[in-house]
Amino acid sequence: MNYKIEGAIKRNRKNFIIFAILWIFIAIVFVSPFSYSSHIAGQSGKFDMTLFIETFTKSIANPFVTLGNILASGATSSYISALLVTTIFYSVFFFIGFVRSAPKNEYSDIEHGSSDWSQRGEQYQILNRNKGIVLAEDNYLPVDKRGNVNVLVVGRIRFW
C-alpha cells in the first residue's frame, strides 16, 4: 500500500503547487465577491437578488478591494464559512484526483528490461558498467568474467 502513496506523490509533485495556487485564486477572486455580495444582499433581512448581482459584478472586478470591504463591513464570518465550504469541495476533488493517479501496482512506470531491479550500484557486482555484452543502458555483461556468463534473450527477431 505504501508504494501507492509514494507513487501518487511522485506523479503529482508539480500538481500540488498548481492546486495550491488555484485554491488561493479561487479564494480571492470568487469566494470573496460571493460572500461579500451575499452579506450585503441579506442585510435587510430579506435576500435581494438584484443587489446581489450588482454587488457581485462590481466585487469580482476588484477582488482585493472586496477583501478590504469584507473586513470593513463585518462580513468575515460569511467569508470564512464560504471559504470553508469551498475548501471542503475543492479538497474532495483534489483527493479523488490524487487517488486516481496512484499506481495500480508496484511495478507501474518501471521500464521493462532496465536495471531498476537493483539499487545503489549493486548490479555492478555481477555486471560491468564499461564493456561487454550490452544488456541495458550502462549495464554490460563482462566477457572476461569467471563462471557462468550465459545470457537469456527474451523477445523475438523479426525478418521483413
Side-chain angles (χ1 to χ4, degrees):
M1 185 65 176
N2 191 22
Y3 67 89
K4 287 190 175 192
I5 296 170
E6 288 177 4
I9 290 172
K10 191 176 185 181
R11 285 184 181 180
N12 292 314
R13 269 188 208 143
K14 295 176 186 173
N15 293 341
F16 290 140
I17 296 169
I18 293 169
F19 286 136
I21 292 170
L22 184 62
W23 179 81
I24 292 169
F25 179 78
I26 289 171
I28 293 172
V29 174
F30 293 115
V31 176
S32 62
F34 177 79
S35 61
Y36 178 68
S37 301
S38 63
H39 177 74
I40 295 298
Q43 278 184 337
S44 64
K46 181 180 164 191
F47 190 79
D48 187 8
M49 189 61 148
T50 57
L51 182 61
F52 172 79
I53 292 172
E54 180 183 320
T55 310
F56 185 74
T57 55
K58 289 179 184 175
S59 299
I60 205 161
N62 299 318
F64 293 108
V65 173
T66 305
L67 284 174
N69 291 341
I70 286 173
L71 295 174
S73 67
T76 53
S77 63
S78 175
Y79 176 69
I80 290 173
S81 64
L83 186 62
L84 182 65
V85 170
T86 305
T87 303
I88 289 171
F89 280 115
Y90 190 77
S91 299
V92 166
F93 286 114
F94 177 76
F95 183 73
I96 290 170
F98 184 77
V99 168
R100 295 207 53 190
S101 70
K104 304 300 179 225
N105 59 34
E106 193 173 356
Y107 303 105
S108 293
D109 297 333
I110 294 178
E111 178 187 347
H112 299 295
S114 69
S115 63
D116 289 343
W117 52 270
S118 61
Q119 297 174 351
R120 295 179 293 282
E122 66 187 0
Q123 75 265 27
Y124 296 118
Q125 294 175 358
I126 301 167
L127 306 175
N128 189 349
R129 70 176 83 206
N130 298 325
K131 61 180 181 174
I133 301 170
V134 178
L135 297 177
E137 184 179 352
D138 298 328
N139 285 307
Y140 299 92
L141 182 66
V143 290
D144 59 348
K145 180 180 176 272
R146 299 186 96 166
N148 189 355
V149 291
N150 293 334
V151 178
L152 173 64
V153 178
V154 179
R156 63 180 127 166
I157 299 172
R158 294 184 181 175
F159 292 102
W160 297 101

